[in-house]
Amino acid sequence: MQSPWLLLLFIASVAFSSPVNDTFLWGSYRPNLYFGIRPRIPQSLLTGFMWFGTQDYASISQTRHACDQGDQLQSYTWTKYDPRQGGVQVIKDARNNVQLTTEFLKVPGGDHGGNWAARIKGEPLDPLQPSRISTIFYLGMEGLGGIDMDTDEEDNGLEGDIKFTGSSPELDDFGIRIVDGPSNTAVTNGPHSEVFKDRIGKSHFMGQPVPAGNIWQAKEFILQSLMKRAQEVIAPYQDPAAGIPDPSFVLQLPDEIYSGSNLYAVQKSFDGEFQFDVFYESASSKQTLSSSTLDEGIAALSTSFEQRFKKVFPTPSDYSLKGSKDALDAFSQAITSNLVGGVGYFYGNSIINEKFSYEWDEDDEAEDRSASDEKGPRLTEPKKLLTATPSRSFFPRGFYWDEGFHLLHIGAWDNDFGLEILKDWIDLIDDNGWVAREQILGEEARSKVPAEFLTQVPNYANPPTLTVAVTAFINRVKTASLGPSDADLGMDFGMGSSQTPLTEVKTEPGNRSLDPEVATAFLKDIYKPLKRHYDWFRRTQRGQIKQYARKARSRTEAYRWRGRSDKHVLTSGMDDYPRGPPHAGELHLDLISWMALFSRTMREIAEFIGENDDAISYGEIEKAILDNIEDLHWNEEQQMYCDANVDDDDESYHVCNKGYLSLFPFMLSLLSPDSPHLGAILDVVRDPEQLWSDYGLRSLSASHPEYGTGENYWKGPIWVQMNYLVLGALHNRYAAEEGPYKLRAQEIYRELRKNIIDNEYERTGYVWEQYDPNTGHGQRSHPFTGWTSLVTLILTEKY
Ligand code: 6A9
């Protein structure tokens, strides 16, 4: 079939065809869907999968496509996922009595990012009950390029393999085949089966043109097309006495292809166990994939994943944890797989408002915001982003400070992949040095966000965690270039050593970027934007120091989150954590602590790449910040670090709220082990009336008047990433270095780690956004595939 896109394509490919050989081109990069494979190319081939039960007519209104807590699936979890090889996901849907397995296998070859295969299998959860499922796999082409389906437009559906060919500037020519497994059966009996006999047991399909940028709404287009036909088919059966046909005979795609189609769907309906495969073959690879490619490939992937996992993230065996070693291994593998399998690729514009400002922020010299004269919200240029996501159902998009934590974990698993993600985040740093806290790129991402949260404001920050991922990377580079005997084997407080053997570290897949030369080149590349980012923080989040001038050793280092409202400081990341009243003279303890860490990490980066003058000045700033944390934020009567504020008489005072906030100088390892304040902090940490619970540290002291009140988001519940920071500070510094509290720190480390790991993870099959400090039960968004997965690093003691 000759079509206009061929001509366009020809022009485009002459203009910018270059072979891509990118190991990370393909992935489950649509993590908002239960299963969606796409390349990390802005506008290209999107694939997706959906299913509904045909046990009744109602189930189609609950077609499963985008992850949704309302679907009430028992679980969906990647049990294995490797960004180079693919993975295995298990989905349990009790309403439709089906357990689905989605397997994804990457097969290298050719010059355009390789091939892949997917297998979708189903079996009844309860074998004694019927399991009637209809599945739809779709492919859509966005941007330049096209897809044709190989069919004579059979009115009654297709038997055998279903074939597509397509092409795009980046992917070049490719083929897609959908192939049935060996023993699928369809519903054959039922009222009026005679009438429908020619269509039973076949694949049904549709193809239609969809406007640019709309493929993400495939579910709506496809179900409309299906329902249109279903209404026509059902019309003659108005008399209930005559019996209504079985839903699986009626709820079928129309077997029509419109000209100019760029969205195609293939539907298969089953009675009981089933299986089918999808093969994507890049023409340049000249390979033909088959079901045995998947049989063998997935088996090999499972074995190599487990072997490598045990090497990279070993579970210590001689530690008295509640779970058995096997159970902990499986759990740890699943949470890591969900983090990595939850990485998405996003592309599109976003909404910013340069002029928005709260009254207490109004005095700011708005140099960063005066660049544009435009008032009110506006759309930015489109941007691309490869990023992990905190939650596939509730917030499947990039969040700035979450990402630093994600990258600690991803980078330890696959350093190269971690750097690809980091690079995309660095690319978001704008000319002023700003990065939006929440990355809501494109219509699909926006469709998940209530209007009042869409707009990002260019003087709002979020905790600077990215450089922590960068220094973790530098530490891996340093460790990898030492021999195993020279390397620091880390602390071991009697739970057995869990250090990775260092031999072969560099040559492992995933670690090529640990080569010191490669690493240095990468760091030199990102240094300039990072520095711009750092300068942006220091310039725009600076606090007023005049009311504190008598106390402060440094006249410059004081900080305040912009963009807080009366009750929330979303920019701090700890949304409803108690704070003082909003005031232009307010100073935030967490932000100044983050700035100390930011300065420290910038110094380490500068030292590594030989920017020695910069390294010295970062060091000086860090020192000034540490002085001011003592001068401005330590409250001697209350024996704790506090926010500071200014009253109506222009006098400064402390705002003290015991909880995660008061731990910051300790939690970010800013205090020296002989700090006179360490003892008081450890007392609060270990006190069951304050932060200590059997399941981890509470966000707010149990003795605080606001504990557990209001939204109760950051007023008590346990957050794993914060516990990870505390454990890291203990493990790497206070339990390791000499000081009066060393033994105490070791003891607390051991107990806290055990409490976190022993919590209820296996009970629900999910990890959760946060945990109830009274029961340990997971709460809020689930599955939470972001920073809660740090339990893996806690288990294997990588901080
Ligand atoms: C609003 C909901 C259909 C809140 O993990 C991401 C962030 C953290 O960075 C932050 O520290 N979460 C934490 O306090 C989740 C934020 C989700 C906002 C989504 C829209 C739509 O519901």
Side-chain angles (χ1 to χ4, degrees):
M1 190 203 284
Q2 192 70 30
S3 51
W5 62 258
L6 271 180
L7 180 64
L8 272 177
L9 183 60
F10 176 74
I11 297 167
S13 53
V14 173
F16 47 85
S17 121
S18 63
V20 254
N21 236 338
D22 171 4
T23 318
F24 303 116
L25 183 69
W26 292 99
S28 60
Y29 294 146
R30 305 183 73 198
N32 57 314
L33 305 188
Y34 290 116
F35 188 55
I37 305 298
R38 68 166 294 170
R40 51 168 186 161
I41 297 172
Q43 288 166 312
S44 185
L45 182 63
L46 297 182
T47 75
F49 171 67
M50 56 184 131
W51 75 97
F52 57 88
T54 61
Q55 66 277 10
D56 52 36
Y57 274 95
S59 297
I60 192 164
S61 68
Q62 291 189 41
T63 300
R64 284 84 160 81
H65 175 239
C67 303
D68 183 348
Q69 253 166 250
D71 288 340
Q72 295 185 311
L73 300 189
Q74 278 47 54
S75 63
Y76 51 101
T77 178
W78 290 99
T79 54
K80 316 254 184 298
Y81 194 93
D82 184 293
R84 295 158 189 275
Q85 299 189 62
V88 177
Q89 179 185 224
V90 179
I91 303 173
K92 293 186 181 161
D93 179 1
R95 184 183 197 281
N96 295 309
N97 189 29
V98 68
Q99 170 166 312
L100 292 158
T101 306
T102 65
E103 297 174 345
F104 168 55
L105 180 71
K106 294 167 68 157
V107 184
D111 303 320
H112 295 276
N115 315 296
W116 54 266
R119 171 168 292 170
I120 295 170
K121 302 191 274 199
E123 59 184 295
L125 278 169
D126 176 354
L128 301 176
Q129 297 298 319
S131 171
R132 297 177 162 191
I133 299 299
S134 193
T135 63
I136 298 176
F137 191 91
Y138 67 84
L139 28 143
M141 181 62 83
E142 292 200 309
L144 293 176
I147 308 170
D148 282 329
M149 184 172 171
D150 182 4
T151 162
D152 305 324
E153 308 215 4
E154 259 311 317
D155 285 346
N156 282 321
L158 293 168
E159 283 178 300
D161 299 358
I162 297 177
K163 296 180 184 150
F164 300 89
T165 52
S167 194
S168 85
E170 299 88 351
L171 298 174
D172 210 61
D173 294 336
F174 60 83
I176 291 179
R177 286 177 299 125
I178 302 183
V179 176
D180 266 315
S183 50
N184 295 338
T185 44
V187 177
T188 47
N189 295 316
H192 308 289
S193 59
E194 239 341 87
V195 180
F196 299 95
K197 67 175 191 318
D198 293 343
R199 299 180 59 85
I200 289 174
K202 294 191 179 162
S203 301
H204 299 287
F205 58 91
M206 60 133 256
Q208 80 180 52
V210 163
N214 283 292
I215 300 282
W216 68 273
Q217 288 169 305
K219 176 182 168 186
E220 283 68 37
F221 293 118
I222 292 166
L223 289 186
Q224 261 167 33
S225 149
L226 185 148
M227 291 309 288
K228 185 164 165 280
R229 177 180 176 282
Q231 273 155 12
E232 287 160 19
V233 169
I234 199 92
Y237 302 90
Q238 295 302 335
D239 175 11
I244 295 174
D246 187 276
S248 68
F249 305 158
V250 174
L251 301 174
Q252 294 177 346
L253 287 172
D255 303 319
E256 281 168 1
I257 307 277
Y258 289 94
S259 77
S261 290
N262 58 344
L263 172 65
Y264 295 85
V266 174
Q267 179 189 22
K268 294 172 178 291
S269 300
F270 306 104
D271 188 8
E273 231 175 280
F274 69 86
Q275 174 183 312
F276 66 89
D277 299 339
V278 181
F279 301 111
Y280 169 91
E281 289 152 346
S282 168
S284 67
S285 86
K286 304 192 170 58
Q287 269 167 284
T288 307
L289 309 182
S290 69
S291 295
S292 60
T293 316
L294 271 163
D295 296 340
E296 289 154 23
I298 293 292
L301 176 155
S302 298
T303 313
S304 78
F305 177 87
E306 272 176 43
Q307 280 171 356
R308 200 169 98 79
F309 196 92
K310 286 181 183 161
K311 212 159 94 184
V312 180
F313 294 140
T315 306
S317 50
D318 56 342
Y319 185 69
S320 60
L321 296 169
K322 221 162 74 181
S324 71
K325 191 168 182 314
D326 284 351
L328 286 170
D329 274 343
F331 165 66
S332 187
Q333 289 179 16
I335 53 178
T336 299
S337 297
N338 282 321
L339 174 70
V340 182
V343 169
Y345 181 82
F346 302 90
Y347 176 77
N349 52 19
S350 54
I351 303 174
I352 65 171
N353 186 346
E354 268 116 352
K355 297 292 176 191
F356 182 83
S357 173
Y358 286 98
E359 57 186 277
W360 39 89
D361 292 342
E362 264 163 18
D363 289 342
D364 285 356
E365 295 167 49
E367 51 168 312
D368 292 280
R369 291 182 287 154
S370 56
S372 156
D373 289 335
E374 299 194 41
K375 298 218 161 38
R378 65 174 181 92
L379 282 173
T380 65
E381 293 289 289
K383 296 189 180 112
K384 65 171 171 69
L385 179 64
L386 183 73
T387 181
T389 53
S391 161
R392 289 173 60 190
S393 54
F394 265 77
F395 13 100
R397 54 184 173 275
F399 285 83
Y400 174 91
W401 87 296
D402 298 57
E403 204 56 19
F405 290 97
H406 299 157
L407 285 174
L408 289 175
H409 190 165
I410 295 174
W413 173 246
D414 191 313
N415 196 69
D416 302 353
F417 190 53
L419 294 192
E420 295 293 321
I421 295 171
L422 178 64
K423 184 87 183 64
D424 270 9
W425 275 94
I426 301 283
D427 283 348
L428 294 178
I429 299 173
D430 75 4
D431 291 346
N432 289 322
W434 175 66
V435 180
R437 174 168 63 91
E438 208 175 321
Q439 292 294 322
I440 311 170
L441 305 179
E443 282 295 327
E444 183 171 19
R446 278 198 285 279
S447 72
K448 285 265 188 173
V449 183
E452 68 269 28
F453 297 122
L454 279 174
T455 306
Q456 304 293 305
V457 181
N459 69 331
Y460 289 10
N462 201 208
T465 57
L466 286 186
T467 50
V468 179
V470 176
T471 51
F473 162 50
I474 290 176
N475 288 336
R476 284 192 293 274
V477 175
K478 288 182 179 163
T479 311
S481 51
L482 297 171
S485 53
D486 309 325
D488 172 16
L489 286 177
M491 287 301 113
D492 173 3
F493 311 125
M495 352 14 163
S497 174
S498 60
Q499 290 296 314
T500 315
L502 294 169
T503 39
E504 297 167 35
V505 165
K506 270 184 292 183
T507 51
E508 264 196 11
N511 288 344
R512 270 172 220 122
S513 48
L514 290 183
D515 181 289
E517 269 177 42
V518 179
T520 308
F522 178 87
L523 289 165
K524 284 189 167 159
D525 241 27
I526 65 169
Y527 181 70
K528 239 174 126 180
L530 270 184
K531 189 175 176 192
R532 196 162 72 234
H533 190 40
Y534 174 79
D535 291 341
W536 176 89
F537 261 90
R538 291 197 69 225
R539 192 170 68 239
T540 65
Q541 309 297 302
R542 184 174 297 284
Q544 295 177 6
I545 211 154
K546 55 177 194 264
Q547 290 93 342
Y548 310 88
R550 273 176 293 125
K551 300 176 194 153
R553 269 172 282 180
S554 154
R555 293 302 160 96
T556 55
E557 300 312 311
Y559 291 92
R560 172 168 68 95
W561 295 111
R562 298 310 195 269
R564 67 161 294 178
S565 66
D566 192 22
K567 292 273 176 301
H568 289 96
V569 190
L570 297 182
T571 43
S572 76
M574 304 199 294
D575 304 6
D576 63 336
Y577 193 94
R579 305 273 181 164
H583 190 288
E586 199 180 359
L587 297 180
H588 294 125
L589 170 65
D590 49 340
L591 183 52
I592 193 174
S593 304
W594 284 117
M595 290 310 294
L597 186 67
F598 202 171
S599 306
R600 178 177 294 177
T601 48
M602 286 303 286
R603 175 172 56 73
E604 287 168 11
I605 298 164
E607 277 167 1
F608 191 81
I609 60 170
E611 293 282 350
N612 299 331
D613 292 348
D614 284 2
I616 291 170
S617 83
Y618 296 131
E620 287 165 358
I621 297 167
E622 182 192 347
K623 164 85 175 54
I625 292 180
L626 295 183
D627 287 345
N628 272 6
I629 288 177
E630 295 304 318
D631 297 347
L632 300 176
H633 293 280
W634 175 254
N635 184 301
E636 186 60 27
E637 288 98 86
Q638 304 215 33
Q639 288 290 301
M640 66 188 279
Y641 290 97
C642 304
D643 280 343
N645 213 332
V646 171
D647 65 19
D648 294 341
D649 303 325
D650 232 21
E651 292 293 328
S652 66
Y653 65 99
H654 277 137
V655 178
C656 298
N657 292 296
K658 219 172 263 175
Y660 288 165
L661 181 68
S662 61
L663 301 185
F664 261 85
F666 152 75
M667 187 158 61
L668 300 184
S669 293
L670 305 176
L671 301 180
S672 91
D674 56 12
S675 160
H677 304 151
L678 193 55
I681 290 178
L682 293 178
D683 286 346
V684 170
V685 163
R686 188 59 191 83
D687 182 355
E689 316 249 289
Q690 309 261 10
L691 300 196
W692 193 259
S693 88
D694 289 347
Y695 317 101
L697 299 184
R698 303 177 163 104
S699 41
L700 193 62
S701 164
S703 309
H704 192 285
E706 287 182 54
Y707 174 73
T709 63
E711 285 158 57
N712 192 21
Y713 197 24
W714 288 83
K715 292 186 174 170
I718 297 162
W719 293 79
V720 166
Q721 86 282 15
M722 304 305 262
N723 279 271
Y724 175 81
L725 288 176
V726 170
L727 285 165
L730 292 167
H731 181 273
N732 293 347
R733 189 144 204 210
Y734 305 108
E737 293 176 18
E738 288 314 319
Y741 303 102
K742 186 175 175 186
L743 285 176
R744 186 99 209 275
Q746 292 182 357
E747 208 174 273
I748 293 177
Y749 171 80
R750 262 195 301 267
E751 289 177 301
L752 179 58
R753 174 172 175 271
K754 179 171 164 54
N755 285 351
I756 293 280
I757 296 170
D758 281 353
N759 201 13
E760 54 134 27
Y761 304 105
E762 68 295 344
R763 188 181 66 85
T764 57
Y766 281 120
V767 282
W768 297 70
E769 185 175 10
Q770 49 170 227
Y771 292 86
D772 181 328
N774 301 315
T775 62
H777 284 181
Q779 56 189 28
R780 300 222 182 213
S781 134
H782 67 278
F784 192 88
T785 49
W787 52 33
T788 307
S789 69
L790 289 167
V791 177
T792 288
L793 297 191
I794 295 173
L795 194 55
T796 193
E797 305 190 84
K798 284 186 192 289
Y799 304 100

